[in-house]
Amino acid sequence: MDRVSAFDEPLKKLLGGATAKVMAEHLDLHTVGDLLHHYPRRYEERGRLTALTELPLDEHVTVVAQVADARVMMFNNGRGKRLEVTLTDGSGRLQLVFFGHGVHKPHKELLPGRRAMFAGKVSVFNRKMQLAHPTYQLLDAQDEDEATDAVDAFAGQLLPIYPACKQLDSWRIAKAVDTVLPSAQEAVDPLPATLREGRGFVQLPEALLKIHRPHTKADIAAARERLKWDEAFVLQVALARRRYADTQLPAVARKSVPDGLLDAFDAKLPFTLTEGQQKVTGEIFGDLATEHPMHRLLQGEVGSGKTMVALRAMLTVVDAGGQAAMLAPTEVLAQQHHRSITEMMGELAENWGLWREAPPQKGGGGRRAGMLGGSDRGTKVVLLTGSMGVPARRQALLDLVTGEAGIVIGTHALIEDKVQFHDLGLVVVDEQHRFGVEQRDALRSKGKQPPHLLVMTATPIPRTVAMTVFGDLETSVLDQLPAGRSPIASHVVPAKDKPHFLSRAWERVREEVENGHQAYVVCPRIGDDADEAAEKKKGKKAAAPEDDAEKRPPLAVLEIAEQLRKGALTGLRTEVLHGRMHPDDKDDVMRRFAAGQVDVLVATTVIEVGVNVPNATAMVIMDADRFGVSQLHQLRGRVGRGSAPGLCLLVSEAHEASPARARLSAVAATLDGFELSRIDLEQRREGDVLGQAQSGVRSSLRVLSVIDDEEVIAAAREEAVRVVADDPALERLPELRIALDALLDKDREEYLDKG
C-alpha cells in the first residue's frame, strides 16, 4: 500500500456499510483520512462531571454526569409511561425523559449513583433544561463484562468527546477512530522539514495519535499546536500561490488623466470626502497605475461611502480609455446602484448623448468628448440584468461591445458568455460574500488583458479572516462614517413573553410616519405559492409528546403586510417588496418608496445592502433570530442614513436563555461592525465561513480558530510567502503538493496553475 492510499481508503471497507453511511450523510466523513481529521471537540476527565448549568440550548451535547434519581410517571389514564431521570454534577441538574417502549432499559440501568456519558439535544420543557430520549454509555458498570466496551474505548484518563449527531454518538465515533488509528502512521507530512524542526513540532503521525488518544493535557496541547499549523500553512500556501500567479499576469495601467471625468465629477461634489475615503482612494489609484492587475478588498462599515470610492475608481479607468463593470448580487441592488451612480454623476451620465467624440488627449487613452466645444467629458452608464426586455438588453450589449458605455452595473447576467466588452479595465464586485471566486474570475476573463479587481463588502471582517478568506487580496478598510449620519437605537422585542412590547413597536412605527418619516418591516419568508410548495415538499416531522407544537414556519412578507394593513398600521400606505416580484414592479415600489409615496415597506432581505432612503428612520425585523449577526447589522444599516435618528426593533419569540436571543442582544448592544463580526464568527462554524467565501476549498478548519489564532495565521502566511517565492510550483515539496490537492478541488487547482 502506498503512502496516500491508506488515507483514501473508504470507511465502508473498515467500518461496515451502516456506520459508513451515517458518517457520510450526517458528518460528511467518507475516507480514513476524513475520520482521522475529525478531532475531538473537547475531553472529559474520568471521574469529573460536566458542568450542567453551562449547556447550550438547542445543541447536540455529550455530557458525563451522575444519576441523582429516577421515577416512572403514568399518563393518558395509565396507557402511557414516561421515565424521568435527574442528572447532577454536584451543583446543577439536568432532566432526562424517556417514553413508551424506550422506558424499560434505562429504568433498569440508570440507577441513582451510576455515572454515564449521555448524548442528546438540549431543550426546555416546563422551564427546565432537558434531554429527550438521549443515548448513553455507562462508565462505571457494576458488572465487569458490562463495562468492557467503555473501558476499551476510553483506556486513558481523558475521554475524547467528538462532534457527533443524533444518529451516531461520540463514543461510537471513538470506537470507529480506534479502528482506523493505525493508518495515522501513513500520514503524509505537508510541513517542510526545516519549518517543522525549526518550530519544534511533533511529527504528523504522532500529532494524530495524541489528539485522538492523549495520555496527558500536554499531549493535547502539542497535537493541537501542530495541527493548527498544518491547517493555517496549507491554506496560506494556496493563497500565496494565487497571489504569486496574479503578479505574473500583465495588465494595462489605468492612470488618472487631468481635466477628465474624475476632475469634472469631483468639482461638482456638494461635500468633502472623508479622510478615510481619500486614503483608500489613494491606495486604489496606486494599484490601478501599475502594469499588474489590482486585487484589493475594500471593507467598510454600513454607510461609510464605499460606492463613492468605487465610482471614483471607475471614472479613473474610463478617463484612461477603459470600461468599468460593477457586479451586484441582486436586481434590486443593481438597479439601486445604477440609479444612485447616475444621480451622483448628474449630467456626466444623463447628458452623455449630447457629447461628441474627440481625439484622445495626450497621456490619456480614452475618448475625449465635449459639448459645443466645452472641455468636460461624459460617458454612458448602462444597466444589465437577467430580466431586462430583449430590446433594452440588446442595446446594453451593443453599448458594451462598442465601448459606448464606460460603466456597466449588473447582476450575474454580466458573467454570461454572450456579454463582451470593448476594453474592460476594472471589475468591482459588491458584497463579495454573495459570489464565489470562480464568478468574479469569470467576469475578469472578459478583458483583453486581466482587468483590475476591487472587491467590496459592508460586512466588517476581522484581520485574521481577511488573511484567510480573502488572503489573495490586499485589504483597505473604510471605518469612518460621512458627516451627517445619525445614531441608530436598537432593541430586542420579546414578542412571546411580552406581547405588549410588539404592540408598542407598531405604535412607534406610526409615530415615525406621523413625523414625516418612513419605515421598513423585514420578514424572512415571502409566503407565496412557491414558499408553500417548498414547505409541503419538506413534510412535517412527528413531534415528540413532550414537545410544544411543531415549530411554525418563519413569518412571511405577504401575510404580515396583510395583517398590518388590516390591524396595527391601518390607514398607512403599506407596500411589499420581495425577490419573486416582476423586476418592473420591484423597481416601481422602490422608486415610490424613495420618493416618499410609501409609508411602510414590508420586504425580504432584498433591501439588505445598497438601498439608500435617508427618510426611512424605523425598521422592525420579524423573527429576527432567523437571521445571522452580519445580516442583521446590514439590514439595520438601511435606517439612520439621514439627519433623523434611526430605530431598529428586533422581534423574536426565542427563549430568553437561547443562543438566538444572546445573538440579538449582542446586535442591539453595539453598532460596531467589527465587534459584531467577531461575535458572528464565534457563534458559527468557522469552516462554514471559510468554505462559503473561499470557493473551491473542500476542507473546513477543525482546530485552527480564525478568531483566537491570529499569531499562527500571520506566521503561517509569512512562511507560505517564503516557500512559494522560492518554489512556486512546489516541485521540491511533493508532500505539501499532496496536501494542497486535498484542500482544493480540481477546477480551483487548474486556476492556480494558470499563473
Side-chain angles (χ1 to χ4, degrees):
M1 182 183 293
D2 64 43
R3 297 176 71 195
V4 185
S5 59
F7 269 50
D8 287 340
E9 198 80 62
L11 287 173
K12 187 177 178 182
K13 268 184 107 171
L14 283 85
L15 305 179
T19 302
K21 187 180 181 193
V22 172
M23 285 194 168
E25 290 179 359
H26 297 281
L27 297 171
D28 196 25
L29 304 175
H30 306 272
T31 66
V32 168
D34 290 342
L35 183 52
L36 285 173
H37 289 301
H38 187 70
Y39 308 133
R41 176 175 283 154
R42 67 180 202 282
Y43 303 84
E44 295 284 11
E45 292 185 61
R46 187 180 291 280
R48 182 172 292 183
L49 304 178
T50 307
L52 298 179
T53 54
E54 297 171 11
L55 296 179
L57 209 58
D58 294 330
E59 287 192 22
H60 191 89
V61 300
T62 301
V63 299
V64 177
Q66 187 167 16
V67 177
D69 62 65
R71 55 184 181 152
V72 174
M73 316 285 287
M74 310 297 284
F75 60 93
N76 280 354
N77 294 324
R79 292 194 299 274
K81 276 186 186 178
R82 180 171 74 241
L83 171 65
E84 291 182 358
V85 178
T86 304
L87 303 182
T88 180
D89 61 358
S91 58
R93 291 189 161 227
L94 177 67
Q95 186 170 286
L96 312 182
V97 61
F98 300 87
F99 288 92
H101 298 301
V103 164
H104 180 69
K105 187 170 184 281
H107 189 214
K108 180 182 163 191
E109 294 181 336
L110 298 179
L111 304 174
R114 299 292 291 271
R115 290 185 181 214
M117 274 197 292
F118 300 89
K121 190 174 182 180
V122 183
S123 59
V124 170
F125 183 67
N126 282 344
R127 300 195 173 274
K128 288 183 183 173
M129 303 243 301
Q130 72 167 25
L131 300 182
H133 281 284
T135 53
Y136 60 90
Q137 173 84 49
L138 298 172
L139 291 177
D140 59 354
Q142 292 158 357
D143 185 304
E144 196 69 31
D145 294 335
E146 198 180 328
T148 303
D149 280 352
V151 173
D152 284 350
F154 310 108
Q157 288 301 303
L158 294 163
L159 308 180
I161 306 297
Y162 286 91
C165 59
K166 184 180 177 183
Q167 295 78 6
L168 202 64
D169 315 304
S170 171
W171 49 89
R172 291 195 179 94
I173 295 171
K175 288 179 187 175
V177 169
D178 280 338
T179 304
V180 302
L181 207 49
S183 297
Q185 298 301 330
E186 307 290 329
V188 176
D189 199 325
L191 295 191
T194 51
L195 191 161
R196 186 179 64 242
E197 291 159 10
R199 291 186 175 268
F201 292 138
V202 298
Q203 298 267 9
L204 182 55
E206 185 183 347
L208 290 171
L209 288 171
K210 284 183 171 177
I211 195 119
H212 287 292
R213 297 295 174 264
H215 293 293
T216 65
K217 290 183 178 177
D219 285 350
I220 300 170
R224 288 179 67 84
E225 185 184 19
R226 165 62 216 257
L227 295 167
K228 277 181 185 180
W229 254 88
D230 280 18
E231 291 180 356
F233 180 69
V234 174
L235 182 56
Q236 289 302 330
V237 165
L239 295 167
R241 291 190 72 225
R242 181 180 173 96
R243 285 196 304 275
Y244 179 85
D246 286 337
T247 63
Q248 306 307 300
L249 297 173
V252 177
R254 311 284 181 171
K255 296 178 182 175
S256 55
V257 176
D259 299 323
L261 262 176
L262 179 64
D263 285 351
F265 174 73
D266 285 350
K268 298 178 191 300
L269 281 181
F271 54 82
T272 306
L273 296 175
T274 65
E275 285 180 25
Q277 286 175 317
Q278 291 174 5
K279 175 178 173 287
V280 166
T281 302
E283 293 169 348
I284 292 169
F285 286 1
D287 288 351
L288 291 175
T290 63
E291 294 184 349
H292 294 292
M294 169 176 76
H295 295 96
R296 187 166 287 277
L297 168 69
L298 172 57
Q299 55 167 312
E301 274 287 9
V302 175
S304 58
K306 294 181 302 299
T307 304
M308 174 62 68
V309 170
L311 177 55
R312 296 184 77 236
M314 290 193 285
L315 293 177
T316 298
V317 168
V318 175
D319 273 344
Q323 293 168 290
M326 177 181 275
L327 184 62
T330 65
E331 290 215 0
V332 168
L333 184 53
Q335 289 163 350
Q336 173 79 26
H337 275 320
H338 181 251
R339 191 156 48 242
S340 60
I341 284 174
T342 303
E343 286 170 2
M344 280 194 275
M345 287 179 62
E347 64 179 17
L348 298 176
E350 289 176 5
N351 296 341
W352 69 271
L354 301 175
W355 311 86
R356 58 179 172 77
E357 289 210 7
Q361 283 227 320
K362 194 173 182 183
R367 298 175 330 175
R368 176 89 177 147
M371 184 167 71
L372 304 177
S375 61
D376 289 339
R377 307 185 77 194
T379 192
K380 188 174 186 180
V381 180
V382 302
L383 177 69
L384 183 65
T385 66
S387 61
M388 285 172 66
V390 173
R393 184 178 174 81
R394 188 179 292 133
Q395 183 61 52
L397 292 173
L398 184 64
D399 289 339
L400 291 183
V401 77
T402 60
E404 193 68 38
I407 295 173
V408 59
I409 293 109
T411 55
H412 290 77
L414 282 174
I415 300 171
E416 294 173 7
D417 289 342
K418 64 182 75 168
V419 179
Q420 299 296 325
F421 290 83
H422 178 69
D423 182 11
L424 182 60
L426 171 66
V427 172
V428 178
V429 180
D430 194 17
E431 290 310 316
Q432 157 67 19
H433 65 283
R434 306 285 193 90
F435 297 100
V437 173
E438 280 79 13
Q439 288 171 306
R440 76 184 194 209
D441 289 340
L443 186 52
R444 286 173 56 204
S445 69
K446 293 181 179 293
K448 293 173 183 173
Q449 285 192 313
H452 299 281
L453 174 70
L454 178 64
V455 170
M456 302 197 301
T457 178
T459 306
I461 304 162
R463 177 173 172 259
T464 46
V465 182
M467 284 194 293
T468 47
V469 176
F470 302 106
D472 56 327
L473 303 168
E474 298 298 323
T475 303
S476 293
V477 177
L478 197 54
D479 54 7
Q480 185 182 6
L481 296 184
R485 284 295 163 92
S486 300
I488 305 170
S490 303
H491 304 283
V492 178
V493 178
K496 198 169 189 178
D497 303 340
K498 299 176 181 175
H500 59 287
F501 277 32
L502 182 57
S503 301
R504 176 63 186 135
W506 300 127
E507 287 174 17
R508 285 291 291 112
V509 169
R510 273 194 174 279
E511 288 165 13
E512 290 299 311
V513 173
E514 284 164 8
N515 287 330
H517 299 298
Q518 296 159 274
Y520 299 98
V521 176
V522 181
C523 302
R525 199 166 59 103
I526 297 171
D528 59 4
D529 292 342
D531 267 359
E532 303 308 323
E535 288 296 321
K536 238 180 202 176
K537 197 174 177 185
K538 283 180 192 170
K540 294 221 171 188
K541 299 178 290 181
E546 81 283 5
D547 285 349
D548 291 332
E550 177 79 347
K551 276 188 178 174
R552 61 166 175 76
L555 294 172
V557 164
L558 300 179
E559 294 161 9
I560 292 296
E562 191 63 19
Q563 289 172 21
L564 292 176
R565 286 188 188 116
K566 292 178 178 176
L569 302 184
T570 303
L572 301 190
R573 297 170 297 177
T574 302
E575 296 273 5
V576 301
L577 181 71
H578 60 77
R580 284 202 281 268
M581 288 168 61
H582 188 279
D584 290 346
D585 294 337
K586 282 190 283 193
D587 200 33
D588 177 58
V589 169
M590 272 313 302
R591 281 181 189 279
R592 288 190 291 113
F593 187 65
Q597 296 164 6
V598 173
D599 297 321
V600 180
L601 187 63
V602 185
T604 58
T605 55
V606 292
I607 56 118
E608 181 185 344
V609 288
V611 173
N612 184 28
V613 180
N615 192 47
T617 54
M619 174 175 286
V620 180
I621 303 179
M622 307 301 293
D623 278 344
D625 50 282
R626 313 263 183 150
F627 300 98
V629 169
S630 294
Q631 202 169 29
L632 291 170
H633 184 55
Q634 289 270 17
L635 287 165
R636 174 172 59 185
R638 299 310 105 208
V639 296
R641 302 179 76 85
S643 56
L647 174 68
C648 180
L649 301 175
L650 307 168
V651 180
S652 171
E653 293 187 359
H655 189 273
E656 194 173 1
S658 66
R661 275 287 288 277
R663 218 168 42 234
L664 297 184
S665 297
V667 173
T670 180
L671 293 172
D672 185 334
F674 284 91
E675 174 61 25
L676 288 173
S677 70
R678 291 183 69 87
I679 294 168
D680 190 23
L681 202 56
E682 284 164 0
Q683 294 186 342
R684 295 164 62 193
R685 284 181 57 224
E686 290 174 341
D688 291 344
V689 177
L690 296 176
Q692 287 166 7
Q694 189 58 50
S695 178
V697 174
R698 277 209 296 256
S699 306
S700 58
L701 301 185
R702 295 173 176 87
V703 287
L704 185 73
S705 164
V706 294
I707 284 291
D708 300 325
D709 295 321
E710 182 168 337
E711 288 180 15
V712 173
I713 293 167
R717 182 180 170 108
E718 285 180 20
E719 294 279 10
V721 169
R722 198 173 300 128
V723 165
V724 171
D726 181 54
D727 183 8
L730 307 179
E731 291 173 356
R732 300 191 297 280
L733 297 167
E735 293 85 2
L736 177 54
R737 183 68 202 222
I738 289 169
L740 207 61
D741 288 342
L743 181 75
L744 303 169
D745 66 30
K746 284 182 181 172
D747 294 340
R748 188 86 173 87
E749 183 66 303
E750 281 169 15
Y751 178 85
L752 288 170
D753 283 341
K754 286 177 187 173

